[in-house]
Amino acid sequence: MHLSYKLRFVSSQLVTVTVLLTLLLFTPQIWLNWQAYHSFNSITKYEFKLQTLSNEITYLDEVLTMSARMNAATGNVFWEQRYRQFEPKLDNAIKESIKLAPKAYKNEDAKKIDAANQRLVAIEYQSFDLVNKNKKDQAMLLLSSSEYETNKQIYANGVAKRQQNISLQLKQKVDEYYQRILWAISESIISLAMLIPAWLLVLHLLQQYLKDKKIAQAALEETNCRLEIQVAERTTKLKYKNFQLQQTLQELQHTQVQLVQTEKMSSLGQLVAGVAHEINNPVNFIYGNLLHVREYSQQLLSLINLYQQQYCSENPEINLLIDEIDLEFIIDDMPKILSSMEVGAERIREIVLTLRNFSRLDEAEMKLVDIHEGINSTLLILQYRLKENHKKQEITIIKNYGNLPLVECYPGGLNQVFMNILSNAIDALHQPEIDYLEGDIEKQLSSIIIHTQVKNENWIMISIKDNGSGITEEVQTRLFDPFFTTKPIGKGTGLGLSISYQIIVDKHKGRIKCISAPGKGTEFVIEIPIKQTD
């Protein structure tokens, strides 16, 4: 252990010295490389570009001279246009060269070149004017004159000399770059010769250190492996507990949803039952007394008839009163009024009975029930939403009832399902009318078709179909999920169809499905067994 510590101490000192030596040797080399890079960047950015611009200036000058002479020789305006086209390019090239090498354009030679160039341009412009005046021969003589040739020679010699100076300057820059590269290479060779043995020794010591570290690493990996196994076991247990908690949470959520909806329906049922009870007592009182009123009125009418026969002619005041009250009309209309009152009272009794049938507060267990009574009672509750008003047209209910037997079921639960589906159908039919008022779609007649039939000896089928706008396939996949709704905020909770699914599938061992497509309405098909099996 003491030897290993001593070896580690010596290794650290040797590595420190080697690193310092490396930095000491490579710092000048980095500086030389940076100088070489700076020289190369300068050559690339300025010298080569200046050389390229010098060649471009020579080429453009020749193009302008040729264009002027061709214009004088042929008289074709194309050559003047070509001259005008290349002249700005020459000016731009000269301006860019001046930016890169301002000294080369400020000496005495540059002034002579510029004066000669200006005289050449003036002569060429003068030749264009002569050609435009149909004096081609004079233009040719002007471009062949000694003055033009002399200025052309001065300009060409000056440009050639300038280009030669630029080439010599470029060669000098390249030689300096090569010299810096050679110094950098020499420095690198010397540094490597000094550093390779030191780093080989460091490598040997590092190998010894890594060998010791490998042994310690093996022991550490073994410990980590045991810890990972323990962590994996605990993670598995935690995942299982989390899964159980998630399942419990989902069950609690579903139970909460069902309790909320059940409480709503129970409150509605209590309200309906209370209203029905309060109405039922006075209606029974009225209905029961109507029979006696009819009997008493008949007796009174008989008495009046007998009195008219015996004493009417002897008392003129009675005759006058008979004429004023139109006794004949009263005798004729009294039975009709009583019959109308009996019909109204009977209708109220039927409505009360239907409301009590919807509430089913006393039927929490399975019973044999007439399905049509539950549908009709639900429609009665929703009657106010089916009627026409100033914003919504009437919704037509088409009943296509089959000959159903009594079905063993939870009547209150089924009424809750009918309420949810019919309410959604009414909402779906009212939405296109809102769109119509806003000018989005055409108005159409609204209807809901309710169809029932015996599917086979064990099952019945109930279909509720509207002719609304329909729903997409994507929405259908989530239709029975808790808290999913397509209605605006505040208009729906997403609980109705989820509860309906539980009532049909879980409580009644039945099936419920949605058939819909955009623009083709929506149909809910419910299938439940006629008899429930344990």
Side-chain angles (χ1 to χ4, degrees):
M1 177 66 71
H2 180 71
L3 182 61
S4 176
Y5 174 76
K6 185 176 180 181
L7 179 63
R8 191 180 306 171
F9 177 74
V10 173
S11 300
S12 63
Q13 286 186 330
L14 182 61
V15 170
T16 303
V17 172
T18 306
V19 170
L20 291 175
L21 182 62
T22 302
L23 293 175
L24 182 64
L25 291 175
F26 273 95
T27 299
Q29 184 179 355
I30 292 172
W31 182 82
L32 288 173
N33 288 331
W34 182 85
Q35 288 291 329
Y37 169 75
H38 179 71
S39 298
F40 178 76
N41 189 39
S42 176
I43 292 170
T44 303
K45 188 174 181 180
Y46 297 103
E47 308 300 335
F48 281 124
K49 190 173 183 180
L50 191 61
Q51 180 72 34
T52 303
L53 287 172
S54 179
N55 294 334
E56 184 179 356
I57 290 170
T58 303
Y59 165 72
L60 292 172
D61 180 66
E62 292 299 328
V63 169
L64 295 181
T65 302
M66 183 193 69
S67 299
R69 288 179 173 174
M70 289 297 295
N71 180 67
T74 61
N76 191 346
V77 72
F78 165 75
W79 296 104
E80 182 181 354
Q81 294 174 350
R82 191 167 185 267
Y83 185 95
R84 306 287 185 187
Q85 179 182 359
F86 280 90
E87 186 179 13
K89 296 183 179 179
L90 177 60
D91 293 338
N92 292 333
I94 292 173
K95 290 178 181 178
E96 194 169 354
S97 297
I98 293 173
K99 289 181 181 179
L100 294 175
K103 294 181 179 180
Y105 288 87
K106 290 182 179 180
N107 52 29
E108 293 297 327
D109 293 336
K111 293 179 180 179
K112 294 179 181 179
I113 294 170
D114 186 53
N117 181 45
Q118 291 179 2
R119 184 55 190 158
L120 287 173
V121 172
I123 294 172
E124 288 165 354
Y125 274 38
Q126 189 177 357
S127 71
F128 290 145
D129 293 336
L130 291 172
V131 170
N132 291 333
K133 297 176 181 179
N134 294 324
K135 296 179 180 180
K136 296 192 295 182
D137 295 336
Q138 295 181 16
M140 285 293 295
L141 290 174
L142 184 62
L143 293 176
S144 302
S145 64
S146 59
E147 181 185 4
Y148 185 81
E149 292 296 336
T150 301
N151 285 292
K152 186 71 177 175
Q153 188 64 37
I154 293 172
Y155 181 76
N157 291 338
V159 171
K161 185 177 179 181
R162 182 192 296 160
Q163 190 169 4
Q164 185 178 6
N165 292 334
I166 292 172
S167 298
L168 290 174
Q169 187 178 0
L170 176 62
K171 184 175 182 303
Q172 184 181 359
K173 293 282 186 180
V174 172
D175 291 340
E176 291 177 359
Y177 173 71
Y178 283 152
Q179 187 176 4
R180 287 191 177 93
I181 290 295
L182 289 174
W183 275 107
I185 293 173
S186 301
E187 177 70 19
S188 299
I189 292 172
I190 295 172
S191 300
L192 289 173
M194 296 176 66
L195 292 174
I196 287 176
W199 280 109
L200 286 176
L201 181 59
V202 170
L203 181 63
H204 175 72
L205 293 175
L206 286 176
Q207 286 178 344
Q208 185 65 34
Y209 171 74
L210 291 175
K211 183 177 179 181
D212 295 340
K213 185 177 179 180
K214 192 173 182 180
I215 296 172
Q217 186 71 24
L220 182 61
E221 287 179 357
E222 184 178 357
T223 304
N224 287 338
C225 183
R226 289 197 299 268
L227 290 174
E228 286 178 358
I229 293 174
Q230 294 177 358
V231 170
E233 292 176 352
R234 293 179 181 178
T235 303
T236 304
K237 293 179 180 178
L238 285 174
K239 286 182 178 179
Y240 179 71
K241 290 182 179 179
N242 287 337
F243 176 73
Q244 287 181 325
L245 287 174
Q246 189 175 5
Q247 278 190 330
T248 304
L249 178 61
Q250 289 179 351
E251 291 176 359
L252 287 174
Q253 287 177 339
H254 291 166
T255 303
Q256 182 182 14
V257 168
Q258 189 170 1
L259 286 174
V260 170
Q261 191 70 5
T262 303
E263 183 64 23
K264 287 182 179 180
M265 292 303 296
S266 176
S267 299
L268 178 61
Q270 290 176 359
L271 176 63
V272 170
V275 172
H277 176 74
E278 293 300 324
I279 295 175
N280 189 51
N281 289 334
V283 166
N284 285 336
F285 176 77
I286 294 171
Y287 186 79
N289 288 327
L290 279 176
L291 180 62
H292 301 292
V293 171
R294 177 183 291 276
E295 182 180 350
Y296 297 158
S297 62
Q298 189 64 41
Q299 292 175 356
L300 289 174
L301 290 175
S302 298
L303 177 60
I304 291 171
N305 186 29
L306 181 60
Y307 185 80
Q308 279 184 303
Q309 292 176 5
Q310 297 294 331
Y311 302 102
C312 183
S313 58
E314 297 179 359
N315 193 334
E317 293 181 3
I318 295 177
N319 291 330
L320 181 61
L321 182 59
I322 289 173
D323 292 335
E324 288 179 0
I325 66 174
D326 197 356
L327 181 60
E328 183 177 355
F329 174 77
I330 293 175
I331 294 172
D332 181 62
D333 194 48
M334 180 70 77
K336 297 178 182 179
I337 293 175
L338 293 174
S339 298
S340 177
M341 292 173 65
E342 286 183 358
V343 171
E346 181 64 33
R347 177 59 181 153
I348 294 173
R349 292 183 66 196
E350 291 176 359
I351 292 174
V352 169
L353 182 61
T354 304
L355 292 175
R356 294 180 63 186
N357 178 59
F358 175 81
S359 61
R360 300 284 190 173
L361 293 178
D362 56 341
E363 298 182 11
E365 298 180 354
M366 280 199 174
K367 295 185 178 183
L368 293 176
V369 175
D370 184 351
I371 297 296
H372 295 156
E373 285 186 2
I375 297 174
N376 291 335
S377 62
T378 304
L379 289 173
L380 179 64
I381 297 297
L382 297 172
Q383 187 66 35
Y384 75 100
R385 298 188 61 192
L386 301 173
K387 292 182 179 180
E388 182 178 4
N389 56 38
H390 65 286
K391 289 185 178 180
K392 301 170 184 176
Q393 65 176 347
E394 181 180 1
I395 298 175
T396 304
I397 302 296
I398 302 173
K399 299 178 182 178
N400 186 12
Y401 289 168
N403 187 17
L404 298 185
L406 296 179
V407 177
E408 186 179 11
C409 64
Y410 295 101
L414 282 186
N415 288 345
Q416 185 176 347
V417 173
F418 298 149
M419 173 69 77
N420 290 333
I421 295 176
L422 286 169
S423 295
N424 287 341
I426 293 171
D427 291 338
L429 292 171
H430 283 166
Q431 182 58 41
E433 294 180 12
I434 296 173
D435 296 337
Y436 166 74
L437 292 175
E438 295 175 355
D440 295 339
I441 63 169
E442 296 181 358
K443 189 173 184 180
Q444 63 175 1
L445 297 178
S446 302
S447 64
I448 298 176
I449 301 174
I450 304 175
H451 173 66
T452 62
Q453 69 176 38
V454 177
K455 186 175 182 182
N456 53 45
E457 60 181 5
N458 296 321
W459 290 77
I460 65 164
M461 186 271 292
I462 305 163
S463 167
I464 301 175
K465 181 178 182 181
D466 64 67
N467 63 340
S469 57
I471 55 180
T472 62
E473 184 176 353
E474 180 182 359
V475 173
Q476 290 184 54
T477 59
R478 303 182 58 192
L479 206 56
F480 298 106
D481 292 349
F483 305 107
F484 174 77
T485 179
T486 58
K487 297 178 182 178
I489 296 175
K491 294 292 183 71
T493 61
L495 303 176
L497 290 179
S498 174
I499 294 295
S500 299
Y501 183 88
Q502 289 182 335
I503 291 172
I504 297 299
V505 176
D506 297 340
K507 287 190 174 182
H508 291 86
K509 310 303 180 197
R511 296 182 287 266
I512 181 171
K513 64 180 179 179
C514 176
I515 304 170
S516 182
K520 296 185 178 179
T522 304
E523 179 182 10
F524 282 90
V525 179
I526 302 170
E527 297 178 358
I528 57 174
I530 298 174
K531 296 290 184 180
Q532 294 290 328
T533 57
D534 295 336

